[in-house]
């Protein structure tokens, strides 16, 4: 009976380990934090992107910046951004929402599950060019103000009308000092 219980416990752990990406040792990773650039807008320029639940943006409460590492995407010349520290369950940054205006989010096990009808979900279409993070295809990063304060980051491709106030921004990938993976920059 004990053998069956041990086998059952192993069966529950193995599939979740398969869901995580294959990565080298954690101390060999190059980690990045994501910084907003919006010259002329001092309230957001130079701030670090953080989580609020699964949404990424600039928030009123001090939260540690998101830390990510890159993995080569199956799509040639593109990368995936996976969160650090690495856990049993894979977390990748992605874009999700209605076509044309996608929210920058943390996706749990992004390869699993299909998005709801009419919803777009991508996580493997990022490119880093001159230290700037962009999504493949036409569009730009934008910051949308929240009523509670702070800003949500989205990718806008110009295909839909937007009546809300927003600000175009750039996202810079800043390498974290290799000796200080736990010493977050704010």
């Amino acid at each position: 009976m004990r053998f069956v219980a041990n086998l059952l416990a192993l069966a529950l752990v193995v599939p979740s380990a398969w869901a995580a990406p294959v990565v080298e040792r954690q101390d060999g990773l190059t980690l990045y934090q994501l910084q907003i650039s919006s010259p002329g807008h001092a309230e957001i320029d130079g701030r670090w992107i953080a989580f609020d639940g699964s949404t990424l943006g600039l928030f009123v409460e001090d939260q540690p910046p998101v830390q990510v590492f890159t993995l080569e995407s199956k799509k040639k010349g593109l990368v995936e951004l996976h969160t650090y520290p690495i856990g049993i369950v894979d977390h990748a940054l992605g874009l999700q929402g209605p076509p044309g205006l996608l929210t920058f989010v943390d996706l749990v096990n992004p390869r699993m599950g299909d998005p709801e009808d009419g919803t777009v979900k991508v996580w493997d279409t990022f490119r880093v060019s001159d230290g700037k993070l962009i999504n493949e295809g036409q569009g730009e990063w934008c910051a949308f103000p929240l009523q509670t304060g702070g800003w949500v980051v989205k990718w806008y491709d110009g295909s839909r009308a937007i009546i809300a106030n927003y600000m175009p921004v750039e996202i810079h990938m800043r390498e974290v000092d290799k000796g200080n993976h736990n010493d977050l920059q704010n």
Side-chain angles (χ1 to χ4, degrees), residues 16-81:
S16 62
W18 285 334
V22 177
V23 179
E24 296 177 25
R25 290 180 46 201
Q26 289 186 11
D27 61 357
L29 293 175
T30 299
L31 297 180
Y32 300 92
Q33 293 173 334
L34 308 175
Q35 188 176 38
I36 292 289
S37 175
S38 185
H41 300 99
E43 67 271 24
I44 64 172
D45 188 46
R47 290 190 52 198
W48 301 98
I49 293 177
F51 290 119
D52 185 13
S54 65
T55 303
L56 291 155
L58 311 170
F59 302 104
V60 176
E61 295 180 19
D62 279 340
Q63 297 163 331
V66 172
Q67 288 196 64
V68 298
F69 59 95
T70 60
L71 289 178
E72 189 175 323
S73 172
K74 291 181 181 177
K75 298 175 182 174
K76 187 173 174 120
L78 303 176
V79 297
E80 302 172 5
L81 301 175

Side-chain angles (χ1 to χ4, degrees), residues 19-21 51 53-54 67-69 71 80-94 105-111 123:
F51 290 119
S54 65
Q67 288 196 64
V68 298
F69 59 95
L71 289 178
E80 302 172 5
L81 301 175
H82 292 266
T83 60
Y84 184 88
I86 301 167
I88 293 175
V89 178
D90 184 23
H91 285 257
L93 302 189
V105 295
D106 171 30
L107 298 170
V108 179
N109 283 329
R111 288 176 180 78
W123 69 94

